mmCIF file of all heavy atoms in Angstrom:
data_model
loop_
_atom_site.group_PDB
_atom_site.id
_atom_site.type_symbol
_atom_site.label_atom_id
_atom_site.label_comp_id
_atom_site.label_asym_id
_atom_site.label_seq_id
_atom_site.Cartn_x
_atom_site.Cartn_y
_atom_site.Cartn_z
ATOM 1 N N LYS A 15 3.541 -23.124 -12.297
ATOM 2 C CA LYS A 15 3.666 -24.546 -12.678
ATOM 3 C C LYS A 15 4.798 -25.166 -11.870
ATOM 4 O O LYS A 15 5.955 -24.768 -12.003
ATOM 5 C CB LYS A 15 3.938 -24.667 -14.187
ATOM 6 C CG LYS A 15 4.425 -26.041 -14.621
ATOM 7 C CD LYS A 15 3.384 -27.146 -14.494
ATOM 8 C CE LYS A 15 3.966 -28.525 -14.265
ATOM 9 N NZ LYS A 15 4.805 -29.094 -15.259
ATOM 10 N N SER A 17 6.665 -28.589 -11.319
ATOM 11 C CA SER A 17 6.817 -29.973 -11.781
ATOM 12 C C SER A 17 6.994 -30.863 -10.551
ATOM 13 O O SER A 17 7.323 -30.382 -9.459
ATOM 14 C CB SER A 17 8.044 -30.092 -12.681
ATOM 15 O OG SER A 17 9.188 -29.790 -11.932
ATOM 16 N N GLY A 18 6.801 -32.138 -10.760
ATOM 17 C CA GLY A 18 7.021 -33.077 -9.669
ATOM 18 C C GLY A 18 8.456 -32.965 -9.155
ATOM 19 O O GLY A 18 8.716 -33.018 -7.950
ATOM 20 N N GLU A 19 9.365 -32.768 -10.093
ATOM 21 C CA GLU A 19 10.788 -32.635 -9.758
ATOM 22 C C GLU A 19 11.043 -31.481 -8.778
ATOM 23 O O GLU A 19 11.901 -31.578 -7.903
ATOM 24 C CB GLU A 19 11.565 -32.363 -11.040
ATOM 25 C CG GLU A 19 12.818 -33.156 -11.165
ATOM 26 C CD GLU A 19 13.469 -32.945 -12.528
ATOM 27 O OE1 GLU A 19 13.456 -31.813 -13.026
ATOM 28 O OE2 GLU A 19 13.985 -33.940 -13.065
ATOM 29 N N GLY A 56 2.833 -31.044 -11.320
ATOM 30 C CA GLY A 56 3.183 -32.199 -12.135
ATOM 31 C C GLY A 56 3.177 -33.462 -11.289
ATOM 32 O O GLY A 56 2.767 -33.447 -10.125
ATOM 33 N N GLY A 57 3.651 -34.541 -11.895
ATOM 34 C CA GLY A 57 3.648 -35.808 -11.174
ATOM 35 C C GLY A 57 4.871 -36.665 -11.447
ATOM 36 O O GLY A 57 4.952 -37.807 -10.991
ATOM 37 N N GLY A 58 5.813 -36.080 -12.197
ATOM 38 C CA GLY A 58 6.979 -36.850 -12.641
ATOM 39 C C GLY A 58 7.844 -37.394 -11.521
ATOM 40 O O GLY A 58 8.625 -38.324 -11.737
ATOM 41 N N PHE A 61 5.238 -40.710 -10.943
ATOM 42 C CA PHE A 61 4.974 -41.595 -12.089
ATOM 43 C C PHE A 61 4.799 -40.798 -13.369
ATOM 44 O O PHE A 61 4.119 -39.780 -13.378
ATOM 45 C CB PHE A 61 3.696 -42.415 -11.842
ATOM 46 C CG PHE A 61 3.563 -43.594 -12.757
ATOM 47 C CD1 PHE A 61 4.179 -44.802 -12.452
ATOM 48 C CD2 PHE A 61 2.850 -43.490 -13.944
ATOM 49 C CE1 PHE A 61 4.080 -45.889 -13.312
ATOM 50 C CE2 PHE A 61 2.750 -44.580 -14.806
ATOM 51 C CZ PHE A 61 3.364 -45.776 -14.488
ATOM 52 N N ARG A 62 5.419 -41.277 -14.422
ATOM 53 C CA ARG A 62 5.246 -40.687 -15.755
ATOM 54 C C ARG A 62 4.692 -41.741 -16.687
ATOM 55 O O ARG A 62 5.174 -42.880 -16.687
ATOM 56 C CB ARG A 62 6.607 -40.268 -16.316
ATOM 57 C CG ARG A 62 7.011 -38.877 -15.977
ATOM 58 C CD ARG A 62 8.323 -38.534 -16.666
ATOM 59 N NE ARG A 62 9.102 -37.628 -15.843
ATOM 60 C CZ ARG A 62 8.842 -36.346 -15.739
ATOM 61 N NH1 ARG A 62 7.857 -35.810 -16.415
ATOM 62 N NH2 ARG A 62 9.582 -35.581 -14.958
ATOM 63 N N GLY A 63 3.741 -41.320 -17.511
ATOM 64 C CA GLY A 63 3.120 -42.238 -18.457
ATOM 65 C C GLY A 63 4.127 -42.935 -19.352
ATOM 66 O O GLY A 63 4.031 -44.139 -19.590
ATOM 67 N N ALA A 76 -1.256 -45.832 -18.280
ATOM 68 C CA ALA A 76 -0.068 -45.280 -17.606
ATOM 69 C C ALA A 76 -0.237 -43.773 -17.409
ATOM 70 O O ALA A 76 0.128 -43.224 -16.360
ATOM 71 C CB ALA A 76 1.176 -45.589 -18.429
ATOM 72 N N ASP A 77 -0.807 -43.109 -18.404
ATOM 73 C CA ASP A 77 -1.040 -41.679 -18.270
ATOM 74 C C ASP A 77 -2.036 -41.365 -17.156
ATOM 75 O O ASP A 77 -1.875 -40.392 -16.422
ATOM 76 C CB ASP A 77 -1.522 -41.082 -19.600
ATOM 77 C CG ASP A 77 -0.375 -40.798 -20.558
ATOM 78 O OD1 ASP A 77 0.786 -40.715 -20.102
ATOM 79 O OD2 ASP A 77 -0.639 -40.655 -21.772
ATOM 80 N N GLY A 80 -0.188 -41.402 -14.092
ATOM 81 C CA GLY A 80 0.564 -40.153 -13.959
ATOM 82 C C GLY A 80 -0.324 -39.025 -13.445
ATOM 83 O O GLY A 80 0.070 -38.242 -12.579
ATOM 84 N N MET A 81 -1.539 -38.972 -13.961
ATOM 85 C CA MET A 81 -2.459 -37.911 -13.509
ATOM 86 C C MET A 81 -2.823 -38.092 -12.034
ATOM 87 O O MET A 81 -2.941 -37.119 -11.299
ATOM 88 C CB MET A 81 -3.700 -37.894 -14.398
ATOM 89 C CG MET A 81 -3.417 -37.304 -15.768
ATOM 90 S SD MET A 81 -4.891 -37.131 -16.776
ATOM 91 C CE MET A 81 -4.867 -38.654 -17.714
ATOM 92 N N THR A 84 -0.247 -36.645 -9.848
ATOM 93 C CA THR A 84 -0.294 -35.177 -9.660
ATOM 94 C C THR A 84 -1.250 -34.804 -8.522
ATOM 95 O O THR A 84 -1.050 -33.800 -7.852
ATOM 96 C CB THR A 84 -0.730 -34.431 -10.950
ATOM 97 O OG1 THR A 84 -2.121 -34.630 -11.178
ATOM 98 C CG2 THR A 84 0.077 -34.837 -12.167
ATOM 99 N N GLY A 137 -3.802 -32.829 -14.152
ATOM 100 C CA GLY A 137 -3.455 -32.271 -15.463
ATOM 101 C C GLY A 137 -4.663 -31.780 -16.219
ATOM 102 O O GLY A 137 -5.517 -31.081 -15.671
ATOM 103 N N THR A 138 -4.743 -32.189 -17.486
ATOM 104 C CA THR A 138 -5.898 -31.809 -18.307
ATOM 105 C C THR A 138 -7.044 -32.800 -18.136
ATOM 106 O O THR A 138 -8.135 -32.584 -18.648
ATOM 107 C CB THR A 138 -5.529 -31.813 -19.807
ATOM 108 O OG1 THR A 138 -5.209 -33.165 -20.177
ATOM 109 C CG2 THR A 138 -4.342 -30.919 -20.124
ATOM 110 N N GLY A 139 -6.745 -33.921 -17.466
ATOM 111 C CA GLY A 139 -7.748 -34.992 -17.347
ATOM 112 C C GLY A 139 -7.718 -35.950 -18.527
ATOM 113 O O GLY A 139 -8.478 -36.915 -18.561
ATOM 114 N N ASN A 140 -6.839 -35.683 -19.480
ATOM 115 C CA ASN A 140 -6.768 -36.522 -20.690
ATOM 116 C C ASN A 140 -5.388 -37.134 -20.845
ATOM 117 O O ASN A 140 -4.382 -36.425 -20.693
ATOM 118 C CB ASN A 140 -7.029 -35.681 -21.936
ATOM 119 C CG ASN A 140 -8.391 -35.046 -21.890
ATOM 120 O OD1 ASN A 140 -9.397 -35.732 -21.964
ATOM 121 N ND2 ASN A 140 -8.427 -33.750 -21.723
ATOM 122 N N PRO A 141 -5.359 -38.432 -21.213
ATOM 123 C CA PRO A 141 -4.050 -39.037 -21.479
ATOM 124 C C PRO A 141 -3.395 -38.387 -22.683
ATOM 125 O O PRO A 141 -4.065 -37.743 -23.489
ATOM 126 C CB PRO A 141 -4.374 -40.506 -21.742
ATOM 127 C CG PRO A 141 -5.827 -40.575 -22.002
ATOM 128 C CD PRO A 141 -6.465 -39.363 -21.392
ATOM 129 N N SER A 142 -2.104 -38.570 -22.753
ATOM 130 C CA SER A 142 -1.291 -38.088 -23.865
ATOM 131 C C SER A 142 -1.030 -36.587 -23.835
ATOM 132 O O SER A 142 -0.469 -36.027 -24.765
ATOM 133 C CB SER A 142 -1.895 -38.567 -25.198
ATOM 134 O OG SER A 142 -1.635 -37.719 -26.238
ATOM 135 N N PHE A 143 -1.411 -35.950 -22.708
ATOM 136 C CA PHE A 143 -1.025 -34.550 -22.513
ATOM 137 C C PHE A 143 -0.035 -34.471 -21.357
ATOM 138 O O PHE A 143 0.302 -35.482 -20.747
ATOM 139 C CB PHE A 143 -2.258 -33.692 -22.235
ATOM 140 C CG PHE A 143 -3.087 -33.461 -23.459
ATOM 141 C CD1 PHE A 143 -4.144 -34.299 -23.764
ATOM 142 C CD2 PHE A 143 -2.793 -32.419 -24.322
ATOM 143 C CE1 PHE A 143 -4.904 -34.101 -24.910
ATOM 144 C CE2 PHE A 143 -3.545 -32.211 -25.472
ATOM 145 C CZ PHE A 143 -4.606 -33.053 -25.759
ATOM 146 N N THR A 144 0.414 -33.264 -21.079
ATOM 147 C CA THR A 144 1.344 -33.069 -19.960
ATOM 148 C C THR A 144 0.774 -32.013 -19.019
ATOM 149 O O THR A 144 -0.165 -31.289 -19.390
ATOM 150 C CB THR A 144 2.695 -32.526 -20.463
ATOM 151 O OG1 THR A 144 2.446 -31.222 -21.018
ATOM 152 C CG2 THR A 144 3.332 -33.429 -21.489
ATOM 153 N N THR A 145 1.392 -31.902 -17.868
ATOM 154 C CA THR A 145 0.933 -30.865 -16.940
ATOM 155 C C THR A 145 1.397 -29.476 -17.402
ATOM 156 O O THR A 145 0.843 -28.486 -16.955
ATOM 157 C CB THR A 145 1.392 -31.162 -15.502
ATOM 158 O OG1 THR A 145 2.794 -31.389 -15.507
ATOM 159 C CG2 THR A 145 0.681 -32.370 -14.940
ATOM 160 N N ASP A 146 2.391 -29.416 -18.286
ATOM 161 C CA ASP A 146 2.745 -28.112 -18.875
ATOM 162 C C ASP A 146 1.588 -27.623 -19.745
ATOM 163 O O ASP A 146 1.231 -26.441 -19.718
ATOM 164 C CB ASP A 146 4.017 -28.220 -19.727
ATOM 165 C CG ASP A 146 5.272 -28.214 -18.872
ATOM 166 O OD1 ASP A 146 5.173 -27.862 -17.676
ATOM 167 O OD2 ASP A 146 6.349 -28.565 -19.391
HETATM 168 N N1 UDP B 301 -0.539 -36.661 -17.674
HETATM 169 C C1 UDP B 301 -1.517 -36.913 -18.624
HETATM 170 N N2 UDP B 301 -2.337 -35.889 -19.007
HETATM 171 C C2 UDP B 301 -2.203 -34.624 -18.512
HETATM 172 C C3 UDP B 301 -1.177 -34.374 -17.567
HETATM 173 C C4 UDP B 301 -0.367 -35.418 -17.174
HETATM 174 O O1 UDP B 301 -1.661 -38.020 -19.097
HETATM 175 O O2 UDP B 301 -2.979 -33.736 -18.889
HETATM 176 C C5 UDP B 301 0.288 -37.802 -17.193
HETATM 177 C C6 UDP B 301 1.458 -38.152 -18.085
HETATM 178 O O3 UDP B 301 1.611 -39.546 -18.062
HETATM 179 C C7 UDP B 301 2.630 -37.508 -17.383
HETATM 180 C C8 UDP B 301 2.255 -37.635 -15.930
HETATM 181 O O4 UDP B 301 0.833 -37.462 -15.924
HETATM 182 O O5 UDP B 301 3.845 -38.182 -17.650
HETATM 183 C C9 UDP B 301 2.901 -36.639 -14.994
HETATM 184 O O6 UDP B 301 2.796 -35.330 -15.506
HETATM 185 P P1 UDP B 301 4.071 -34.526 -16.051
HETATM 186 O O7 UDP B 301 5.027 -35.480 -16.704
HETATM 187 O O8 UDP B 301 3.569 -33.385 -16.870
HETATM 188 O O9 UDP B 301 4.674 -34.003 -14.693
HETATM 189 P P2 UDP B 301 5.982 -33.113 -14.421
HETATM 190 O O10 UDP B 301 6.993 -33.404 -15.506
HETATM 191 O O11 UDP B 301 5.548 -31.690 -14.470
HETATM 192 O O12 UDP B 301 6.418 -33.519 -13.056
#
Side-chain angles (χ1 to χ4, degrees):
K15 165 68 208 298
S17 63
E19 224 174 39
F61 196 85
R62 270 184 213 283
D77 279 341
M81 286 185 266
T84 73
T138 65
N140 300 292
S142 151
F143 286 93
T144 64
T145 52
D146 280 346

